[in-house]
Amino acid sequence: MKYKIMYIFIPLFFTLSLNAYAEYKTSDFTEEEYQMVMKASGDYRNCLNKTAISQTESQNDVRVIADYAMKECATILETLYQNLVSANYDPEAVRKLVGSTSNRASNKLLSNLMRYMASPSR
């Protein structure tokens, strides 16, 4: 039994412990990474707006329109997430960044949609 522990469990323990101590970038974004984040954020907002505008003729509920637009444009944020994780940034920190970007754009979209739907010239 002693040999099983030494040859099976110890290498397994070291393999698992290496994943726990993976080092991620902690410094600020490079200029290229910052530009990538800003471009993805702008692309996401533009995609949300275009998709929502195209849905206003067929749908009256702003929540349904916003939900549809967010689903259609999610690939932009998924690509941003993958690019930053592949650049060795902490996945949890990147998830928070992408979530924040999504929340800000979605809140602005909902506000604009409600204002548009309430306007009498519509």
Side-chain angles (χ1 to χ4, degrees), residues 31-41 79-80 83-84:
E31 183 64 32
E32 293 82 25
E33 291 165 340
Y34 179 76
Q35 292 299 322
M36 177 179 56
V37 170
M38 291 292 95
K39 182 180 181 324
S41 177
T79 303
L80 174 64
N83 288 341
L84 290 175

Side-chain angles (χ1 to χ4, degrees), residues 80-100:
L80 174 64
Y81 176 82
Q82 292 300 325
N83 288 341
L84 290 175
V85 168
S86 68
N88 201 30
Y89 284 99
D90 181 17
E92 187 61 32
V94 173
R95 188 173 296 115
K96 288 179 183 178
L97 172 74
V98 170
S100 172

Side-chain angles (χ1 to χ4, degrees), residues 10-58:
I10 292 177
L12 181 62
F13 173 75
F14 284 122
T15 303
L16 293 175
S17 66
L18 287 176
N19 289 336
Y21 294 108
E23 300 236 355
Y24 295 111
K25 288 183 183 177
T26 56
S27 62
D28 294 331
F29 287 140
T30 63
E31 183 64 32
E32 293 82 25
E33 291 165 340
Y34 179 76
Q35 292 299 322
M36 177 179 56
V37 170
M38 291 292 95
K39 182 180 181 324
S41 177
D43 290 348
Y44 183 67
R45 281 192 312 269
N46 290 337
C47 180
L48 284 179
N49 290 329
K50 287 179 184 177
T51 306
I53 288 170
S54 70
Q55 290 296 306
T56 56
E57 298 300 321
S58 62

